Amino acid sequence: MSSVSANNISGKVVVITGGSSGLGETTARHLASLGASVVLGARRIDKLEAIAADIRTAGGNVAVQATDVTSQDEVKALVNLAQEHFGKVDVVILPSNSGHWFKRSFGLQRPLG
């Protein structure tokens, strides 16, 4: 990855659901290594805490919260955690089946993705 690409994500705050395994975990680790602050949500808090410890050990910034993506309130709480912990939210990565209500809930006018 070029330094230009790394500079585009450095300092950004990224909320990721499904962050305890698979693509969510891999994405979180990668973005944190490029300087993004990541906020991870998933049902398995023990896995999230282990991933967060790894990210912190590597010098990254991370916050985690148990989150069930089928609950709008829990996803909103995850976004609020990002705002409280890091002061902003630049990017939200959600499973495709939750994006439609997320857009309406947060008053977004343009399509996600």
Side-chain angles (χ1 to χ4, degrees):
M1 177 128 322
S2 73
S3 62
V4 172
S5 295
N7 288 337
N8 287 337
I9 197 66
S10 183
K12 302 293 185 194
V13 176
V14 182
V15 176
I16 303 171
T17 61
S20 65
S21 64
L23 282 173
E25 175 185 355
T26 301
T27 301
R29 290 178 185 275
H30 180 68
L31 295 178
S33 76
L34 296 176
S37 296
V38 294
V39 179
L40 308 179
R43 291 175 294 180
R44 297 179 293 178
I45 192 69
D46 56 324
K47 298 274 282 173
L48 290 175
E49 291 290 355
I51 293 162
D54 289 348
I55 290 172
R56 288 183 188 110
T57 298
N61 295 313
V62 61
V64 300
Q65 182 167 290
T67 306
D68 180 348
V69 297
T70 65
S71 167
Q72 291 182 31
D73 290 339
E74 289 190 23
V75 174
K76 286 179 184 179
L78 184 66
V79 171
N80 289 337
L81 173 68
Q83 292 171 327
E84 292 166 7
H85 199 79
F86 296 112
K88 64 179 182 170
V89 174
D90 295 299
V91 178
V92 178
I93 301 173
L94 295 165
S96 60
N97 65 347
S98 58
H100 65 283
W101 59 256
F102 180 86
K103 181 180 168 185
R104 285 194 313 270
S105 296
F106 286 92
L108 301 175
Q109 299 303 313
R110 58 189 183 126
L112 296 175

